[in-house]
Amino acid sequence: MRASIAIVAGFLLTALFSLSSGARDTWPTPPAADIPPPQVSGPLQGGTADHTKFDQLKGPFSSGPEVTVACLGCHTETGDHFMRNIHWTWSYTNEETGQQLGKRYLINNFCTNSRGNEGMCAQCHAGYGWKDESFDFTDETNIDCLVCHETTGTYYKTPNSAGNAACSVMFEGKPPIDLAAVAQSVTLPQRANCGACHFNGGGGDNVKHGDLSSALKSPPRTLDVHMGVDGLNFACTACHITNRHVWAGSRYQVVSKDTEGTGKPGQRTDVATCESCHGLSPHPVDSLAGFKLNDHVQSIACQTCHIPEIARGGVATVVDWDWRTAGKTKDGEGYHEEGYIQGNGNHRYTYKSIKGNFTYDEEFPPAYGWFDGQMLYTTIDTQFDPQAESIEINGFTGSREDPKSRIWPFKRMHTWQPYDKGNGTLVYTHLWGEDDAAYWGNYDMGKSIAKGMADFGLPYSGEFGFIQTISWWPITHMVAPKEQALGCGDCHTPQDSRLQFVEGVYMPGRDHNRWLDIIGTLLVAGTLGGILIHGLVRFFSPSHGSKGEHH
């Protein structure tokens, strides 16, 4: 019986697979362009001003804030709008959980925490001069317009405070910035603008996300069908559409299942979902495969099939970080080691005295799980069992029974990081600074933690250890061409199914239930038998072949 079931299932999957491949080959695809067109930035196309013609932008400028004053002289309401978005506040309160989130407060399992280390970390704040708690979030002249809008590629930011000599040396010797030229180059944000920070989250190229790397500055369509320069050439803002400088899309509260799809012209600018452009039935129903694929949309996120691998494009991502090994020196000085050559041929550090050991991976399959869009964070205020084997930095929720849940792909990040062994909490570490408590200089973790916690009035037992932490990163970028999307056989198979660890759902081909298999086989056999008998009856009926008669 098992053999017959396998034969029937194999026949059906092969037929469906063939139909699927055939259907995909007929899907419309954008033509490759000989000359890359301008990046597409959503509804704000074309522009209405040539900024090289503005006297206000011809300078000279001695500082970035002076450029901001010139920008705000024309864009009079922009400051008020911008100061409400998360790129400025670094703060987000989850209305469902009540958790205080945002870079300003959270702990991650990469460089651990920006709070207390703003002198270094706030290089990626869209403002000028945030180095401690005294930063004025109400002063719109502190906004950095250039980091998002300049297009010369010569603009850069450095730490807002000097830091220890062991680290500050990395930022010495940079060429001066021609602020007038930079100011006159402004346009809608390009991929390189967003990527200056988002490609380098976690402390380096593609370190954190796995699906955001420098490879997306000028990617081929084979790396991302939306951003490919030989395809649609989307800028990030084509999907992350802005409304008064507030962008669609949030990693703190993901829209895991869009039930509205496309809206009327001019609508649906509040989300950055696949469905907002492709609709709720994105596959053409011209075959059995198209029908089944659209049926899958109810329970499978588009990204699950269309992003088959993480860290494509030649840039690896960090999948394991071990802070336990940080702090080793040679002749009293910190050092680093190269031990990994990634796909594009560049070397990556596998050890740094200031951070410990790293493990990289690229072009590897995601982890999968039911996801309702809700991430639950372990914050500085969260207490846990100090003897726990591991904790989740940002666990996610969802189930087969939850109508908001679908199966999503994730990058899984594993880290050994410091924690308060006595109180069972994570800790703020004081990494960057000019004082003698900064870890990136003295390599004394205990001293660093004591300072990091005391600065914000947080309890610390005085005893630290290292605990395993896991973080999960929903994968949404590096969408592969349809030809590289997962096929039926990648999941509906008893061996090495992509979804082998996804629970709560019966998957034909992956799972076996004796009675369900028997009933299914009988239904299929009965259907085929009925078709065969009907055909034979028609073939041998007396009227078969008679002219002028129809049945």
Side-chain angles (χ1 to χ4, degrees):
M1 176 60 74
R2 179 63 59 89
S4 63
I5 294 172
I7 292 172
V8 172
F11 170 77
L12 291 174
L13 285 174
T14 301
L16 188 59
F17 215 2
S18 300
L19 287 169
S20 174
S21 299
R24 291 175 192 163
D25 291 341
T26 62
W27 287 354
T29 55
D34 294 332
I35 301 175
Q39 292 184 29
V40 176
S41 301
L44 299 176
Q45 291 300 308
T48 57
D50 181 350
H51 288 83
T52 64
K53 299 178 180 178
F54 284 76
D55 290 337
Q56 297 93 325
L57 299 181
K58 292 181 179 177
F61 300 108
S62 61
S63 68
E66 287 187 16
V67 179
T68 299
V69 170
C71 298
L72 296 176
C74 294
H75 300 278
T76 57
E77 307 308 306
T78 300
D80 179 58
H81 295 163
F82 189 82
M83 289 190 292
R84 303 180 188 189
N85 85 59
I86 199 168
H87 288 82
W88 175 258
T89 64
W90 278 21
S91 176
Y92 177 86
T93 302
N94 189 309
E95 295 181 355
E96 293 190 23
T97 66
Q99 284 193 302
Q100 176 62 67
L101 309 176
K103 287 181 179 295
R104 193 173 174 183
Y105 304 100
L106 282 179
I107 293 177
N108 61 58
N109 59 352
F110 295 89
C111 291
T112 68
N113 55 284
S114 62
R115 197 174 193 190
N117 299 305
E118 290 89 351
M120 173 68 174
C121 300
Q123 287 181 90
C124 277
H125 178 244
Y128 293 111
W130 184 8
K131 58 183 179 182
D132 53 37
E133 293 293 297
S134 66
F135 181 75
D136 187 357
F137 285 92
T138 66
D139 184 355
E140 62 183 20
T141 64
N142 283 334
I143 296 171
D144 184 352
C145 307
L146 297 175
V147 72
C148 298
H149 292 282
E150 79 90 21
T151 58
T152 66
T154 62
Y155 185 73
Y156 60 86
K157 302 186 74 168
T158 54
N160 295 317
S161 61
N164 191 284
C167 291
S168 60
V169 66
M170 295 187 295
F171 305 97
E172 296 176 351
K174 289 184 174 293
I177 301 172
D178 184 343
L179 288 171
V182 169
Q184 293 175 67
S185 77
V186 297
T187 185
L188 295 172
Q190 305 293 288
R191 289 188 297 271
N193 294 109
C194 306
C197 285
H198 291 284
F199 294 163
N200 294 289
D205 196 355
N206 206 21
V207 165
K208 180 185 287 184
H209 296 287
D211 63 345
L212 287 172
S213 78
S214 60
L216 292 175
K217 286 183 180 177
S218 185
R221 180 178 171 276
T222 51
L223 177 58
D224 190 292
V225 293
H226 300 112
M227 292 186 261
V229 295
D230 52 349
L232 297 170
N233 202 23
F234 278 4
C236 305
T237 51
C239 295
H240 297 279
I241 292 173
T242 177
N243 181 0
R244 298 186 177 189
H245 276 87
V246 176
W247 287 266
S250 168
R251 286 193 180 274
Y252 293 128
Q253 195 165 28
V254 178
V255 178
S256 62
K257 186 176 184 178
D258 187 343
T259 57
E260 297 183 41
T262 55
K264 295 177 181 178
Q267 295 184 345
R268 299 289 355 252
T269 58
D270 59 331
V271 294
T273 64
C274 305
E275 291 87 347
S276 64
C277 284
H278 295 280
L280 301 178
S281 299
H283 307 96
V285 186
D286 54 6
S287 65
L288 177 60
F291 175 80
K292 286 305 298 177
L293 288 172
N294 282 337
D295 186 47
H296 278 57
V297 171
Q298 292 298 314
S299 53
I300 307 288
C302 305
Q303 294 90 333
T304 296
C305 297
H306 290 275
I307 310 178
E309 293 178 328
I310 296 173
R312 297 191 303 120
V315 182
T317 187
V318 172
V319 295
D320 194 282
W321 188 320
D322 193 345
W323 277 93
R324 296 176 301 177
T325 61
K328 293 186 289 188
T329 61
K330 291 181 178 178
D331 299 326
E333 300 292 333
Y335 66 98
H336 51 72
E337 297 173 347
E338 294 177 341
Y340 184 89
I341 303 175
Q342 61 187 15
N344 65 6
N346 291 340
H347 291 257
R348 302 296 295 265
Y349 292 129
T350 52
Y351 178 79
K352 286 185 175 181
S353 297
I354 61 173
K355 296 181 178 179
N357 283 96
F358 316 112
T359 301
Y360 295 86
D361 203 354
E362 53 190 312
E363 298 186 359
F364 61 99
Y368 300 94
W370 290 102
F371 181 40
D372 62 5
Q374 187 67 64
M375 308 295 292
L376 298 176
Y377 286 80
T378 298
T379 70
I380 192 68
D381 301 315
T382 307
Q383 281 195 297
F384 50 83
D385 179 1
Q387 304 304 316
E389 182 177 351
S390 65
I391 61 168
E392 289 186 323
I393 290 284
N394 61 340
F396 60 91
T397 60
S399 70
R400 177 69 178 90
E401 291 73 28
D402 181 355
K404 294 192 300 183
S405 294
R406 292 195 296 181
I407 298 172
W408 270 70
F410 292 87
K411 173 193 166 183
R412 179 184 186 275
M413 175 68 190
H414 172 269
T415 297
W416 281 96
Q417 70 184 90
Y419 78 114
D420 187 332
K421 200 172 181 178
N423 290 329
T425 65
L426 295 175
V427 292
Y428 286 153
T429 51
H430 178 56
L431 302 174
W432 179 267
E434 301 80 52
D435 53 279
D436 62 2
Y439 185 76
W440 291 348
N442 69 6
Y443 303 112
D444 186 333
M445 185 61 75
K447 205 170 183 178
S448 165
I449 295 172
K451 167 75 171 169
M453 299 296 277
D455 280 352
F456 300 98
L458 295 167
Y460 174 49
S461 69
E463 182 184 11
F464 76 92
F466 291 89
I467 191 168
Q468 298 182 82
T469 59
I470 309 296
S471 65
W472 302 94
W473 300 89
I475 299 299
T476 58
H477 307 96
M478 296 188 178
V479 178
K482 55 184 174 53
E483 299 84 2
Q484 298 174 20
L486 296 183
C488 308
D490 290 305
C491 298
H492 295 277
T493 176
Q495 301 294 329
D496 300 324
S497 168
R498 284 287 187 126
L499 305 182
Q500 60 181 310
F501 299 115
V502 175
E503 300 177 343
V505 59
Y506 181 86
M507 291 182 56
R510 186 197 71 168
D511 304 318
H512 294 287
N513 178 286
R514 181 169 180 268
W515 288 108
L516 193 59
D517 288 345
I518 291 174
I519 293 172
T521 302
L522 291 175
L523 287 174
V524 172
T527 301
L528 294 175
I531 294 173
L532 178 62
I533 293 171
H534 178 76
L536 291 173
V537 169
R538 290 195 62 184
F539 183 81
F540 290 108
S541 65
S543 60
H544 179 71
S546 299
K547 295 181 179 179
E549 297 184 13
H550 301 280
H551 298 274

